[in-house]
Amino acid sequence: MDTRDVLIIGAGPAGLAAAIAATKAALSYQVIEKGALVNSLLHYPTEMVFFTTPELMEIGGLPFVSPHDKPSRMEALRYYRRVTDTFDLDIAFDCTVGRVARGPDGFAVDAVCRGGRRTFHGRSVVMATGAYDFPNLIGVPGEDLPHVSHYYTAPHPFYRKRVVIVGGKNSAAEAALDLFRAGAHVTIVHRRAALGESIKYWVKPDIENRIREGSVGARFNTDVVEITPTHVVVDYAGVREELPADGVFLLTGYVSDNTLLRSAGVEIDPDTCGPRHDPETYETNIRGLYVIGAMVAGKASGRIFIENGRFHGDLVIREIAAKAGNRVIG
């Protein structure tokens, strides 16, 4: 039985950083990823430009070279492929983990992979599954219709079409502006009285001006009741309205999936919906099981970005290496 020092679940930036740190610490490891490399980035808008600068997305000390002040999604995908090749990271792709169990000698991680079921064994486990793969569902009829998505993609398919965006934070505002400028007829539906204060400072006046002039429609203090193939039914103070919709984007945020953690015995904080863990080491109440990246924060996952989550892996691996008596290099 091949038992690794560390099993890392998730091949996002935080998981990759942990794998690089494990390599430098001379720890044997295995990364297990349910989809593609940095799978969450595949859900980002195709033409997205990051808010941050390239150097704040670097991991493993490998420079992120870009001719732009702020890199694009495609540049980020290319960079993380280069990182993976440079460090020759050992990643099992297309393996969905279904169970994490602790035994007397470590952990058994059961997964369904493309080639069949596999069980990975490790002395410790680092959970880096992120949050962007798990959207907040609004729980209304029609949420699963084909023209409804929790991820904004690209504006061109919606040229001269009617689009309803549900949400009032940065993603909703940016999507609305992008669609409007590509010739779509856009309406924002938000359950609160105004757009969120956390919207980027250069985006907020833009979207507010478009709403004020009527270029982008808006329904505030309004709840979605139902989604049909042709309309979004909303409720404002007991009055219902049907908004025509060829496309619907439910941009209501994302949350980490704690199913695996719960099954492994990790305690979940009822207030944050995040795993209980040592804030210094990121170790949970289950000895040898660590959490890093966006899943650390539970429903407040929006406060963990690549810029800060990329450091979690190095910190955790240093803790694991110290316990194993290994000296961390670099």
Side-chain angles (χ1 to χ4, degrees), residues 6 17 21 23 33 37 79 134 165 172 180 195 213 225 238-239 305:
V6 191
T23 300
E33 168 57 51
L37 187 73
Y79 170 74
F134 308 102
I165 296 175
F180 155 67
L195 296 173
E213 71 187 16
V225 176
V239 178
F305 305 97

Side-chain angles (χ1 to χ4, degrees), residues 176-239:
L177 290 170
D178 202 28
L179 286 160
F180 155 67
R181 295 199 164 101
H185 305 286
V186 187
T187 301
I188 293 175
V189 176
H190 188 36
R191 61 179 180 169
R192 303 198 184 279
L195 296 173
E197 292 300 322
S198 61
I199 294 176
K200 295 171 186 174
Y201 67 86
W202 66 91
V203 173
K204 198 166 191 294
D206 191 358
I207 186 63
E208 288 177 339
N209 286 335
R210 303 294 76 75
I211 291 173
R212 190 176 297 114
E213 71 187 16
S215 299
V216 172
R219 303 290 189 278
F220 293 110
N221 290 319
T222 300
D223 296 310
V224 175
V225 176
E226 181 184 2
I227 302 171
T228 76
T230 57
H231 292 80
V232 174
V233 183
V234 299
D235 181 285
Y236 171 74
V239 178

Side-chain angles (χ1 to χ4, degrees), residues 158-182:
F158 301 96
Y159 170 68
R160 290 191 177 182
K161 294 183 180 179
R162 300 160 300 182
V163 181
V164 172
I165 296 175
V166 180
K169 295 185 178 180
N170 199 77
S171 295
E174 289 193 311
L177 290 170
D178 202 28
L179 286 160
F180 155 67
R181 295 199 164 101

Side-chain angles (χ1 to χ4, degrees), residues 261-300:
L261 293 174
R262 290 181 189 275
S263 66
V266 175
E267 297 174 1
I268 305 300
D269 188 303
D271 295 323
T272 66
C273 295
R276 294 192 187 277
H277 63 280
D278 185 324
E280 299 296 324
T281 66
Y282 296 97
E283 187 172 24
T284 67
N285 59 287
I286 300 300
R287 182 171 52 86
L289 198 160
Y290 300 80
V291 289
I292 62 174
M295 70 178 314
V296 168
K299 62 184 179 182

Side-chain angles (χ1 to χ4, degrees), residues 20-97:
I20 294 168
T23 300
K24 293 181 177 180
L27 294 173
S28 60
Y29 72 91
Q30 175 70 65
V31 181
I32 308 166
E33 168 57 51
K34 72 174 183 179
L37 187 73
V38 287
N39 198 67
S40 292
L41 268 64
L42 298 181
H43 292 310
Y44 287 17
T46 53
E47 300 170 17
M48 173 184 165
V49 173
F50 283 88
F51 176 44
T52 190
T53 54
E55 65 271 15
L56 294 180
M57 298 175 67
E58 294 175 355
I59 57 176
L62 192 68
F64 186 164
V65 180
S66 169
H68 309 108
D69 292 337
K70 295 178 173 59
S72 69
R73 168 183 171 274
M74 290 304 297
E75 287 179 299
L77 293 174
R78 188 181 306 117
Y79 170 74
Y80 291 117
R81 290 197 301 268
R82 186 163 65 91
V83 166
T84 301
D85 289 339
T86 298
F87 291 97
D88 193 23
L89 299 181
D90 188 358
I91 306 174
F93 292 110
D94 301 312
C95 283
T96 301
V97 174

